[in-house]
Amino acid sequence: DEVKVLIRIALGQIEVIPGRPDLNTRLILETIEEARHMGVQMVIFPEMAVPGYFLGDTWEQDAFLKDCEAYGRQIIESSRDGMCLLFGNVGIDWGRMDDDGRVRKFNAFFVAKDGKLHGGENFPYPFRIKTIQPNYRELDAPRHFHSLRELAMEMDKRVEDLLQPVKLTIAGRPVKIGCILCEDGWSDEYYVKPIAAFQQNGPVDLFVNIASSPFAPGKNNKRNGVFSKLVRAAGVPLVYVNNVGIQNNGKTVYTFDGNSKVYNSRGEIKDCSPPFSSELKIVDLDLDGGDGDLAPVAVSDDSGIGIICQAILYGISKFLRSTGIEKVVVGISGGIDSAVAAGLYTKVLGPENVLLVNMPSVFNSQTTRSLAARLAKNLGCLFTVMPIQESVDYTAAQIAQTPVVELKSGREFHIPVTPFVLENIQARDRSTRILAGLAAAIGAGISCNSNKSEMTVGYSTLYGDLAGFFAVLGDLWKHQVYALAEYLNEQVFEQEVIPREIIDLVPSAELSPEQAVDEGKGDPIVYPYHDYLFRAFMEHRKRVTPEDLLMWYVQGVLEEKIGCKRGLVKQLFPEPRNFVIDLERWWKLYIGMGIAKRIQAPPVLAVSRRAYGLAHREAQNTLYFTAGYLALKNKLLNLEQSKVDELDFPDKTDNPELGF
């Protein structure tokens, strides 16, 4: 019988700290030594393992680049005793400038053995570079890095001809490695197919994909499908190594789940690392047989509320540690959003480091006051009640009774405090006076409890409930907040810490008699429908506009297209006119007041494919409806064009919380 030649490979699923090549290199070197003691012949680290990936314009600092290069040399020098090291770092051509006038940089894949780099004999550089530069959602790699496609164009070569494997000798046998950087493995929609090109220029014995890929629900399931298909077609095993930790682009904080894997030549998962956990995974791989005779391992589904909760808790923990915040103040109203935020922070920090504050006005019911107290007792947190009515009355009286002088004419007048203004005063008094003061007094951060539904249409008060250092619910639709509340009770705390009455209560801001929860009065947003409408505005890959939505409504497929419950649209909007009024109301707010508020909102913890921040680039433009929409609306409502604009559409200020 033929004797198998096994190569012992280690998957270095490490936490990468963005902007700290010193700390990352120290961890890499420690991991290498650990692997060396375990007889490992090849250690693989993630993409941009030395510098981190989301660094903003730190990439424009030459001094930082020189440090990354120097730390990379330390890793290369540690590849002794026959050990092969594969890792990601920035590659630099100091003799070339890019179109922006800055030194040329590459997102690079380094292969080191015996203290030197390998692969330069069949490639312009002693490292491999990323072929496909992602430039969508939060990713803007072309801003900083030169791609293999651009390099091939400059060299007047086919990009496929440059996709050459790296040749090594490992365990006494020659091995050809196809070095793939993250996006290069997701090539279905690109004209370049790196894996196929590598095979043509090889053939390859092993594909290695190093990645720095943020978490999103269902993304791991999709990746498994994509990689399994590619591996089956090539008949070659593949190792995928991703990092863990958090990184941010200033407005959005991303968690990285790892989920590193080994695929055998059949495309089956031979082994995998757990999500959101650093691990050195050791695998003995038969490159000749691809271990196709071994049973694949089961991989858990990553599309439910459980993995979202895990990502949020992980993200909170890492973000607090990175910012040095050890205590958090949470304003709790007796409603669902603040209850869930309180539960999350309590789980991460412990109840002794979370101060829950109930701040009732005359409009807050005894129901919600009691529920806030029960929540605090269940969680065991620090708790206080600080009523705001006296200070709200004082502010309102000061504004209304203090004369304003028009200096040019000498005319005096008073500014009236409308019910709308009074509601905003309440929200701001809670955040900018009480919560901010308490946070400063105990050295804590303020939790922003706004969810994605509210952020979409600006249903929050600027400098009020939108204030805070971190929006942990800012990427969750309202129905997901409810699901998370159930999950926290059942799976995380394993008891009812969030009272059932909070989950069942009508959601309400409780800022006026029109929002009295005991009378069943609540928010103007009908979440079972509007959650899905708002998601269509901003999350769909092909951005949905009122024209698309109105067309789907006319065709009778709206509910199917946006994913809400069947029959709900007819129930909510008996006549087309009602549907159009509602659609235009929320669209105006989404592209108007909503943007103005989101620009000033705190960083959002991302748990979806598209979170607010730099994954959703938006400008403050004027209102616009497409010609197709206006024509369809006119036809639907059977109106003359001159009458279309006379429809009685509510102004955004009809609901006080929708204004500033």
Side-chain angles (χ1 to χ4, degrees):
D1 292 339
E2 184 179 346
V3 178
K4 288 184 177 181
V5 178
L6 299 178
I7 295 180
R8 175 157 285 194
I9 297 175
L11 283 60
Q13 181 170 293
I14 62 172
E15 178 180 351
V16 175
I17 301 174
R20 292 302 303 268
D22 54 339
L23 300 180
N24 295 329
T25 300
R26 183 192 306 168
L27 178 58
I28 289 170
L29 294 176
E30 290 171 355
T31 305
I32 290 169
E33 290 310 306
E34 181 184 350
R36 197 185 305 278
H37 290 308
M38 301 176 74
V40 169
Q41 295 156 306
M42 178 188 294
V43 191
I44 307 170
F45 294 99
E47 177 184 21
M48 289 296 188
V50 174
Y53 194 17
F54 291 176
L55 305 185
D57 286 349
T58 299
W59 290 118
E60 297 176 1
Q61 301 173 3
D62 282 1
F64 178 79
L65 299 177
K66 290 174 183 176
D67 271 8
C68 294
E69 209 171 40
Y71 285 116
R73 284 195 292 270
Q74 292 184 25
I75 299 170
I76 295 165
E77 290 164 4
S78 70
S79 63
R80 61 185 187 278
D81 303 329
M83 179 178 279
C84 177
L85 304 178
L86 284 64
F87 66 97
N89 194 4
V90 57
I92 308 157
D93 186 340
W94 293 103
R96 301 290 296 274
M97 295 291 133
D98 273 332
D99 294 339
D100 61 2
R102 296 185 175 90
V103 66
R104 177 162 295 182
K105 300 174 290 293
F106 302 101
N107 184 340
F109 189 138
F110 292 80
V111 179
K113 185 172 178 285
D114 302 322
K116 63 181 181 180
L117 291 175
H118 292 256
E121 75 283 352
N122 58 359
F123 195 72
Y125 295 99
F127 47 76
R128 293 297 183 266
I129 63 179
K130 200 165 188 175
T131 304
I132 301 169
Q133 298 278 30
N135 192 19
Y136 53 83
R137 291 195 293 270
E138 70 274 10
L139 303 167
D140 57 357
R143 177 178 176 87
H144 303 293
F145 305 112
H146 208 69
S147 72
L148 187 65
R149 292 196 289 185
E150 292 171 300
L151 183 64
M153 190 181 304
E154 289 177 3
M155 297 176 66
D156 197 24
K157 290 192 173 185
R158 295 173 63 249
V159 64
E160 289 82 1
D161 293 336
L162 293 178
L163 287 164
Q164 298 288 338
V166 174
K167 302 173 184 177
L168 295 169
T169 300
I170 304 175
R173 62 155 288 174
V175 177
K176 293 180 181 178
I177 301 175
C179 300
I180 307 167
L181 283 131
C182 201
E183 189 84 359
D184 294 350
W186 297 74
S187 58
D188 282 358
E189 296 182 6
Y190 296 95
Y191 74 87
V192 180
K193 311 295 182 187
I195 285 184
F198 271 122
Q199 273 294 76
Q200 241 179 1
N201 297 329
V204 168
D205 300 299
L206 174 67
F207 285 107
V208 176
N209 185 305
I210 60 173
S212 185
S213 182
F215 164 80
K219 187 176 182 180
N220 193 47
N221 290 346
K222 184 175 181 180
R223 181 188 298 113
N224 290 338
V226 170
F227 281 10
S228 293
K229 180 181 176 182
L230 290 172
V231 170
R232 283 196 304 271
V236 177
L238 181 147
V239 178
Y240 167 78
V241 180
N242 188 25
N243 63 281
V244 295
I246 63 166
Q247 300 188 38
N248 73 85
N249 55 26
K251 286 294 289 182
T252 317
V253 178
Y254 295 90
T255 61
F256 290 74
D257 58 339
N259 267 310
S260 304
K261 291 182 176 61
V262 178
Y263 298 83
N264 63 27
S265 57
R266 295 179 183 173
E268 301 164 335
I269 298 172
K270 171 183 167 59
D271 214 336
C272 60
S273 297
F276 303 110
S277 177
S278 298
E279 183 187 64
L280 184 66
K281 169 71 68 175
I282 309 296
V283 178
D284 292 319
L285 192 61
D286 172 22
L287 297 185
D288 295 313
D291 288 331
D293 56 331
L294 297 181
V297 299
V299 179
S300 59
D301 179 79
D302 74 332
S303 58
I305 195 64
I307 193 68
I308 290 175
C309 183
Q310 186 178 1
I312 291 174
L313 291 171
Y314 182 79
I316 292 173
S317 175
K318 294 295 181 182
F319 188 73
L320 291 176
R321 187 177 304 173
S322 69
T323 56
I325 294 174
E326 298 177 345
K327 298 177 181 179
V328 172
V329 176
V330 184
I332 57 169
S333 62
I336 190 68
D337 297 310
S338 58
V340 170
L344 292 168
Y345 280 115
T346 301
K347 182 63 180 177
V348 172
L349 288 173
E352 69 279 5
N353 294 311
V354 179
L355 172 58
L356 305 182
V357 189
N358 183 235
M359 299 162 285
S361 74
V362 294
F363 301 117
N364 290 97
S365 66
Q366 189 57 48
T367 298
T368 53
R369 296 186 197 193
S370 299
L371 287 173
R374 278 178 55 194
L375 171 72
K377 184 178 180 180
N378 292 350
L379 290 171
C381 295
L382 305 174
F383 177 60
T384 186
V385 178
M386 293 191 177
I388 64 169
Q389 195 60 49
E390 184 179 353
S391 59
V392 168
D393 290 343
Y394 177 82
T395 301
Q398 189 173 31
I399 292 172
Q401 296 170 13
T402 303
V404 178
V405 180
E406 185 182 69
L407 296 177
K408 186 176 181 180
S409 65
R411 181 178 68 94
E412 285 191 3
F413 62 95
H414 291 78
I415 298 175
V417 177
T418 65
F420 164 67
V421 173
L422 191 62
E423 294 190 19
N424 277 201
I425 289 173
Q426 293 174 68
R428 294 191 179 110
D429 190 71
R430 288 176 171 132
S431 291
T432 57
R433 187 176 70 87
I434 292 181
L435 295 181
L438 283 171
I442 67 172
I446 306 171
S447 169
C448 174
N449 304 331
S450 290
N451 59 56
K452 198 170 189 175
S453 306
E454 294 167 348
M455 282 192 168
T456 298
V457 291
Y459 188 63
S460 54
T461 302
L462 200 61
Y463 319 126
D465 52 317
L466 195 60
F469 78 101
F470 197 27
V472 296
L473 307 180
D475 199 24
L476 291 176
W477 302 107
K478 190 76 168 188
H479 68 274
Q480 292 177 302
V481 177
Y482 281 105
L484 187 54
E486 301 276 12
Y487 189 85
L488 286 170
N489 281 348
E490 296 169 8
Q491 302 296 327
V492 176
F493 291 97
E494 298 182 330
Q495 58 180 312
E496 190 180 283
V497 294
I498 299 176
R500 167 53 53 182
E501 292 91 332
I502 288 180
I503 297 173
D504 294 338
L505 192 71
V506 58
S508 173
E510 283 196 300
L511 293 170
S512 72
E514 286 68 40
Q515 299 167 342
V517 294
D518 288 340
E519 299 175 25
K521 299 175 181 178
D523 296 343
I525 304 173
V526 182
Y527 295 105
Y529 167 68
H530 288 121
D531 267 3
Y532 299 92
L533 178 72
F534 299 166
R535 187 173 68 179
F537 287 170
M538 71 84 60
E539 270 192 23
H540 284 211
R541 188 175 185 185
K542 293 184 178 179
R543 296 304 182 88
V544 175
T545 68
E547 182 176 341
D548 304 303
L549 293 160
L550 193 57
M551 178 62 74
W552 295 340
Y553 172 80
V554 170
Q555 295 171 344
V557 296
L558 177 68
E559 293 151 338
E560 176 188 342
K561 291 287 187 178
I562 67 175
C564 71
K565 183 180 177 182
R566 292 181 65 86
L568 186 57
V569 172
K570 185 65 175 177
Q571 177 185 334
L572 293 174
F573 312 112
E575 301 296 332
R577 182 177 181 278
N578 304 123
F579 175 80
V580 170
I581 289 173
D582 183 81
L583 174 60
E584 293 198 5
R585 174 190 190 183
W586 298 115
W587 179 257
K588 290 175 183 178
L589 288 166
Y590 165 61
I591 65 171
M593 195 67 73
I595 294 178
K597 293 182 179 183
R598 287 193 292 273
I599 288 171
Q600 299 190 60
V604 169
L605 177 59
V607 290
S608 75
R609 283 300 187 96
R610 191 188 299 277
Y612 283 118
L614 293 189
H616 181 68
R617 314 288 170 98
E618 49 190 0
Q620 291 184 278
N621 301 324
T622 56
L623 176 66
Y624 178 72
F625 288 103
T626 62
Y629 171 79
L630 295 175
L632 188 58
K633 169 184 165 182
N634 188 19
K635 182 179 180 181
L636 176 66
L637 300 181
N638 195 28
L639 295 173
E640 296 293 334
Q641 186 62 45
S642 61
K643 298 290 185 181
V644 169
D645 294 330
E646 295 178 13
L647 283 173
D648 183 23
F649 293 115
D651 184 79
K652 60 177 173 290
T653 58
D654 279 1
N655 189 282
E657 274 295 280
L658 297 179
F660 277 116

